[in-house]
Amino acid sequence: MFLPAGEKQFEFWVLSRNGLPNINIAKHFGVSRQAVSRALLSMDKRIEETLLEMARANRIEVEKLDSKKGILFGRSIPFKANAIIFVSAKHGMQVWYEHEGECGSCERYRECIELLWDFAEEMQLKLQSTEDPTKLADELFGKLKELVEQA
């Protein structure tokens, strides 16, 4: 399922996820509050369907899903590892598996660090500075799990 990253509905959803009230989103875009509410209901459904589709495709057993935050926690059946699927406004749909990596020697080191810091910023979470993507991911996803459980 495709997420419309450049469409107004998706922009509404990102702003709502960041805590902006519907009335403010409506004023910003010059639309009615009801139009924003309808768009958010539609996007929440699309986000949920997309997260579930990604879980099925990656053989991840769902444990917790929050469509308003765009996060799914689960367990990878083939890898026997915890997994998280999340929607990043900057990076799109992402799947991350809990693992101990050899990050210092990995050619994707910079990409992982950037993804994690960007998503933490999108979710307005402060993290301890570390150069180890595995530790950064553990901290980020731990905080996200707390956030989802509070909702």
Side-chain angles (χ1 to χ4, degrees):
M1 167 142 317
F2 174 72
L3 289 178
E7 293 180 16
K8 274 188 186 176
Q9 281 189 341
F10 188 72
E11 291 179 48
F12 294 173
W13 182 82
V14 170
L15 292 170
S16 177
R17 176 173 75 173
N18 291 341
L20 196 62
N22 290 6
I23 190 73
N24 293 10
I25 296 170
K27 285 179 185 175
H28 178 75
F29 286 92
V31 298
S32 71
R33 187 176 40 81
Q34 293 80 3
V36 171
S37 293
R38 282 191 304 273
L40 289 174
L41 287 172
S42 173
M43 275 309 299
D44 285 344
K45 184 177 180 193
R46 284 175 83 175
I47 295 286
E48 181 174 335
E49 289 171 355
T50 303
L51 289 168
L52 290 170
E53 187 175 310
M54 288 293 290
R56 276 190 302 277
N58 288 281
R59 298 185 58 209
I60 294 171
E61 198 170 73
V62 178
E63 293 173 1
K64 183 94 172 152
L65 184 144
D66 185 332
S67 60
K68 292 186 185 320
K69 298 277 186 230
I71 301 170
L72 180 148
F73 290 96
R75 181 124 182 110
S76 168
I77 296 165
F79 297 137
K80 296 178 176 65
N82 292 329
I84 181 171
I85 304 172
F86 59 95
V87 178
S88 164
K90 184 174 181 181
H91 300 277
M93 185 72 62
Q94 297 290 319
V95 180
W96 188 279
Y97 299 96
E98 188 175 73
H99 65 283
E100 291 297 323
E102 294 293 328
C103 299
S105 61
C106 180
E107 63 188 47
R108 296 197 139 177
Y109 169 85
R110 186 182 232 32
E111 184 180 322
C112 290
I113 284 285
E114 182 180 320
L115 170 69
L116 296 167
W117 279 113
D118 286 348
F119 192 60
E121 186 176 312
E122 285 180 35
M123 297 304 293
Q124 303 170 350
L125 296 171
K126 294 197 185 305
L127 303 176
Q128 298 294 317
S129 184
T130 179
E131 294 186 16
D132 182 345
T134 303
K135 289 180 184 171
L136 192 62
D138 288 347
E139 181 184 0
L140 172 60
F141 299 134
K143 288 184 177 196
L144 287 171
K145 199 163 210 167
E146 289 174 16
L147 188 67
V148 168
E149 287 173 357
Q150 291 173 359

